[in-house]
Amino acid sequence: MGDIGFFKKTDSRESEENLGENEEETAVFSTQQQQDAPADLNLQPERVNLDHLFPGIPTDFTQIRSVYMGVDLSKERNPDAEIASSSGRKRKFSFSLTQEEIQHDLDMIRIAGEKQAEPQHIGFFLRIEDEVARRERLEREKAERHHEIAKQFALDHACGQDDPRRYFSKSSAKKAAAALKSVIIDDDDDDKEQSGTPFGMAMEMIQTRNSRKKLASNGLGVEFKWVPKNVKRSGCEVPSLLDLSLRGLAKNADAIVSLDHVPDMLRHKLSRLLCDSRKMDAHFLQLLASGSPTEIRINDCSQVTEDEFTKIFGCCDTNNLTVLQLDLCGSCMPYYILQDTLARSSKSLPALATLSLDGAHRLSDEGLNMLALSAPALQSINLSQCSLLTSAGINNLANCFESTLRELYLDECHNIEAMVVLPALKKLKCLEVLSMAGIPTVCDDFVIQMVEACGKNMKELVFPNCLELTDASIKSVGKNCSKLCAIDLSYLSKLTDKSMRYLANGCRSINKLKLSRNGLSDEAIAAFLEASGSDLTELSLNNIPLVGLNSALALSKCSRKLLSLDLSWCRNLNDEALGLIVDSCLSLKQLKLFGCTQLTDVFLKGHSNPQVQIIGQELRTVSKFLNVLKPQGPPLRYSPIVTQFARLSPSIDIYKKQH
């Protein structure tokens, strides 16, 4: 017959009415057993047979359920049997009750025996089983919770408080999923859609390859074996005569008296050299602005004062100016300076197509509005780190250039509310580039509505450090941005492998991809590279801890057009993996390996790619590798400048009024 186990510690006075003489016999027998048995630290609960106390009432759970439910459960869970926990480990389950709980249960059994009510018997014992299951579940949840706390504690100490890897725990993932109130991803539909897609087929191939153990634990498979080569490398590259001449001019820029008839390309290179050496001053700015310039590009205007800026641009001929870059010009860009210089009339910049004011921390909404009225042909504007700008200023800007603006950069503009400017940004039907890095209010709703309205022409999206974005945003990007060429998803800790699936299946023309510091798996990255990585020219996997041999194989096979690769802090890549990548990607010119302390001279001196520059493995000045003399990019990244916008502006205004 069944029996109910409980610990020996009982109160004979409390159970005197229920046990009577049988209780005394049991106690004597138990005491005798304790004296005869050797000492054992693993105390086991004593078991008391209650069948003779309540005849006709089964006291075994299995018997109860088989008698009253007609089900043979003789193989049901035994309280002393081993059960498997969710983590795959086994542990003993022991069912123990307090003294009060034992007394309460005995009273219930006695009352049920007196009334002879079978439904109550069933309900009582089912409640006991439910209590067992509940306690088991609580213990399991408690163990999991402690495990997650330990993992988070370890990450906090290993990564620091600001490292995005702190948020890769299961508990944080659950919180992130719960925060998605407006967008719900149907996992079942996603799984059905995966089969037969480029990403799904690539993932199946990778899983099959891994299951067949083609990737050995200590290196690459036999067919992918890399052998280091003893290649004699030349010393430093010999600079060209043009480079030497420009560097000489930069050192003696204060002696230059004129830049007339100097091509814009050489002006840009010389200007960049001066900015990098912190020698850009009002004298050289005057040389660039003299005559009737078409392009003025300066990366650092921080040394130009208000008076100098007013003197230079107050009399500058800006009728032919198409590109104006005055980055870090915050000290000389208040509205009262603009109204006397660049925005001195309603159309003082009639041909201006590209305007960059990155770091203009004194630029206000009023000043931006004056610039918008002065440049009717504007197609690209960079307002990154303009901390005084608000949502109202961006709304006015978007309303002025609904049919012309193609590129908009708003990085680190923390006073801008993404959902407030959304209605105005959705009107920019020609928008090709949208950069909103570091704006905390950028969320899934913003991205989804934005790409649904403007995604058909979108070529580049930049959302690093927009910490609220999840897979839902990338799913919408994959559905609506088929022409996407570049995307930056760095520091987005809530993204999972699904994001790579959406990009691989929906955006087949990506050539620039940045995924720094994300929790993506090695298999997902490799599947993306095999499905859609053939056109990549720039890839950043900086500080993705799981990048390993699968990604290395995919890069070596599918990314032959790669020019720049960042694998810094990817410490699962050994010498063989890096050697295979560098020797296979013959177009590779720049490889960043900061923090890859696992690499040795076997790779550094054994690869056979003579043109690749490896940055981060030797104690050298980083600026030496940045090639400041490379050609300047075009005014617009993806489209040519349409100069007829200025002439068509009156007809555009009439069209707006009619529609």
Side-chain angles (χ1 to χ4, degrees):
M1 293 296 292
D3 48 22
I4 297 178
F6 58 91
F7 285 105
K8 181 182 175 182
K9 183 178 179 182
T10 58
D11 191 347
S12 60
R13 292 175 296 178
E14 292 183 1
S15 59
E16 188 172 358
E17 296 179 0
N18 301 323
L19 297 180
E21 296 179 358
N22 291 324
E23 189 273 344
E24 295 178 0
E25 294 177 3
T26 304
V28 171
F29 176 74
S30 176
T31 305
Q32 206 170 18
Q33 269 192 329
Q34 183 180 10
Q35 294 174 354
D36 297 338
D40 189 1
L41 295 177
N42 298 323
L43 297 178
Q44 298 294 332
E46 297 226 4
R47 313 190 68 84
V48 178
N49 194 329
L50 302 177
D51 295 340
H52 62 282
L53 297 179
F54 309 104
I57 301 178
T59 58
D60 181 68
F61 297 154
T62 303
Q63 183 184 1
I64 291 171
R65 299 182 67 179
S66 61
V67 169
Y68 292 105
M69 299 181 184
V71 181
D72 184 11
L73 299 176
S74 58
K75 297 183 180 181
E76 280 284 317
R77 180 183 66 248
N78 189 338
D80 293 331
E82 289 184 352
I83 62 173
S85 64
S86 60
S87 61
R89 296 175 297 182
K90 293 185 177 182
R91 58 186 177 88
K92 284 284 187 177
F93 173 78
S94 60
F95 179 53
S96 61
L97 299 174
T98 64
Q99 181 176 347
E100 290 77 7
E101 291 173 335
I102 295 172
Q103 184 61 41
H104 178 269
D105 294 345
L106 291 175
D107 292 341
M108 292 295 294
I109 295 174
R110 178 176 57 80
I111 295 172
E114 293 175 356
K115 293 185 177 181
Q116 294 292 325
E118 292 185 356
Q120 292 184 5
H121 304 162
I122 298 174
F124 167 70
F125 287 110
L126 289 180
R127 286 196 299 273
I128 293 293
E129 286 192 314
D130 292 342
E131 180 66 16
V132 172
R134 186 184 70 84
R135 294 191 179 190
E136 177 186 341
R137 177 176 54 81
L138 291 176
E139 290 181 4
R140 184 168 58 250
E141 291 178 354
K142 182 179 179 181
E144 292 178 354
R145 186 164 58 252
H146 288 177
H147 180 66
E148 293 300 327
I149 292 174
K151 285 177 59 178
Q152 192 67 32
F153 184 78
L155 283 173
D156 290 345
H157 283 269
C159 306
Q161 293 295 325
D162 298 328
D163 199 306
R165 287 178 293 174
R166 295 176 58 236
Y167 305 101
F168 293 159
S169 63
K170 294 181 180 178
S171 59
S172 297
K174 292 179 181 178
K175 293 179 181 178
L180 296 178
K181 298 179 180 179
S182 58
V183 181
I184 300 176
I185 301 178
D186 192 342
D187 293 338
D188 296 336
D189 293 343
D190 291 343
D191 294 337
K192 293 178 182 178
E193 294 175 359
Q194 181 179 359
S195 58
T197 61
F199 182 88
M201 292 186 292
M203 182 64 78
E204 290 178 3
M205 293 174 58
I206 293 172
Q207 292 174 349
T208 302
R209 185 172 64 207
N210 291 342
S211 63
R212 293 178 180 177
K213 298 182 179 180
K214 288 186 178 180
L215 293 176
S217 60
N218 58 348
L220 301 175
V222 176
E223 62 268 37
F224 303 111
K225 189 72 176 179
W226 174 77
V227 179
K229 304 174 181 62
N230 295 323
V231 179
K232 293 184 179 180
R233 308 186 191 282
S234 58
C236 299
E237 295 184 3
V238 178
S240 64
L241 181 60
L242 176 62
D243 295 347
L244 291 174
S245 302
L246 289 173
R247 288 168 182 165
L249 288 173
K251 291 181 180 179
N252 302 278
D254 54 347
I256 300 176
V257 296
S258 175
L259 292 177
D260 293 344
H261 309 295
V262 176
D264 287 335
M265 180 190 66
L266 297 180
R267 290 189 178 201
H268 302 158
K269 291 184 176 182
L270 187 56
S271 174
R272 185 180 299 181
L273 283 171
L274 289 173
C275 291
D276 291 341
S277 59
R278 300 286 296 172
K279 292 183 178 180
M280 174 60 67
D281 54 9
H283 169 70
F284 194 81
L285 180 58
Q286 177 68 56
L287 296 177
L288 293 175
S290 60
S292 182
T294 57
E295 295 187 8
I296 298 177
R297 302 198 189 210
I298 302 177
N299 296 334
D300 186 357
C301 298
S302 58
Q303 299 186 42
V304 180
T305 64
E306 291 183 9
D307 295 338
E308 293 171 341
F309 188 87
T310 303
K311 181 179 178 181
I312 294 171
F313 285 97
C315 57
C316 177
D317 182 6
T318 58
N319 290 324
N320 296 322
L321 193 62
T322 58
V323 178
L324 179 59
Q325 179 183 357
L326 299 174
D327 293 343
L328 302 181
C329 59
S331 60
C332 53
M333 199 59 64
Y335 74 93
Y336 56 84
I337 297 295
L338 289 174
Q339 65 186 4
D340 295 332
T341 54
L342 298 176
R344 56 183 177 267
S345 65
S346 60
K347 293 184 179 180
S348 58
L349 301 168
L352 188 64
T354 300
L355 176 63
S356 179
L357 301 175
D358 189 351
H361 58 82
R362 296 181 68 185
L363 180 65
S364 61
D365 292 342
E366 184 178 358
L368 179 61
N369 189 39
M370 289 190 295
L371 287 173
L373 296 176
S374 303
L378 194 64
Q379 300 176 54
S380 173
I381 186 167
N382 185 353
L383 300 173
S384 300
Q385 303 184 65
C386 295
S387 54
L388 292 183
L389 294 181
T390 65
S391 302
I394 303 303
N395 287 335
N396 293 333
L397 177 71
N399 292 330
C400 291
F401 303 103
E402 291 182 2
S403 58
T404 61
L405 195 64
R406 296 180 180 273
E407 300 178 1
L408 179 60
Y409 303 87
L410 300 174
D411 301 346
E412 306 294 338
C413 294
H414 297 292
N415 286 332
I416 295 177
E417 295 288 337
M419 297 306 295
V420 175
V421 301
L422 177 61
L425 296 184
K426 289 167 65 175
K427 300 177 183 178
L428 303 175
K429 300 303 181 181
C430 297
L431 194 64
E432 296 177 345
V433 179
L434 178 62
S435 180
M436 302 188 71
I439 298 181
T441 56
V442 174
C443 58
D444 287 334
D445 285 344
F446 173 83
V447 175
I448 291 172
Q449 295 186 44
M450 190 65 199
V451 298
E452 287 178 352
C454 307
K456 62 179 181 180
N457 295 320
M458 199 67 68
K459 301 294 181 60
E460 182 173 351
L461 291 171
V462 182
F463 294 125
N465 267 323
C466 297
L467 302 179
E468 297 301 319
L469 296 185
T470 67
D471 295 331
S473 296
I474 313 306
K475 182 178 182 181
S476 183
V477 170
K479 285 184 177 180
N480 298 282
C481 303
S482 58
K483 298 179 181 179
L484 195 69
C485 299
I487 188 169
D488 189 346
L489 302 175
S490 302
Y491 308 99
L492 303 185
S493 58
K494 295 182 180 180
L495 297 187
T496 67
D497 292 347
K498 293 180 182 179
S499 294
M500 302 307 298
R501 184 204 310 173
Y502 300 142
L503 288 179
N505 294 335
C507 306
R508 307 284 296 169
S509 303
I510 294 180
N511 52 54
K512 293 182 181 180
L513 178 63
K514 293 184 179 181
L515 301 171
S516 302
R517 293 200 179 190
N518 286 323
L520 304 173
S521 69
D522 184 34
E523 292 79 6
I525 295 174
F528 173 86
L529 293 173
E530 294 190 9
S532 302
S534 58
D535 294 329
L536 280 177
T537 58
E538 182 178 345
L539 176 64
S540 176
L541 302 177
N542 186 313
N543 214 335
I544 299 182
L546 299 180
V547 169
L549 299 182
N550 289 305
S551 299
L553 292 177
L555 283 169
S556 64
K557 293 190 300 181
C558 307
S559 300
R560 302 298 177 90
K561 299 179 181 179
L562 205 60
L563 300 176
S564 176
L565 178 61
D566 188 356
L567 295 174
S568 300
W569 305 98
C570 296
R571 293 179 172 174
N572 286 335
L573 296 173
N574 54 21
D575 290 326
E576 291 181 336
L578 267 299
L580 182 65
I581 293 172
V582 172
D583 288 353
S584 300
C585 301
L586 299 180
S587 300
L588 189 64
K589 295 183 178 180
Q590 187 179 85
L591 176 63
K592 297 180 181 179
L593 295 174
F594 292 98
C596 294
T597 56
Q598 76 279 10
L599 300 179
T600 65
D601 288 342
V602 173
F603 159 69
L604 298 175
K605 297 182 179 180
H607 70 84
S608 59
N609 192 336
Q611 65 178 357
V612 66
Q613 291 182 338
I614 299 177
I615 306 174
Q617 287 294 301
E618 297 181 3
L619 296 177
R620 295 184 184 180
T621 305
V622 176
S623 60
K624 178 181 179 180
F625 299 95
L626 297 184
N627 193 11
V628 297
L629 301 180
K630 65 181 180 180
Q632 183 71 39
L636 297 179
R637 292 195 180 186
Y638 301 99
S639 299
I641 294 180
V642 183
T643 57
Q644 63 266 29
F645 275 133
R647 296 192 299 268
L648 294 178
S649 57
S651 60
I652 292 174
D653 294 337
I654 295 174
Y655 178 84
K656 290 181 181 178
K657 292 179 181 179
Q658 292 177 351
H659 295 79

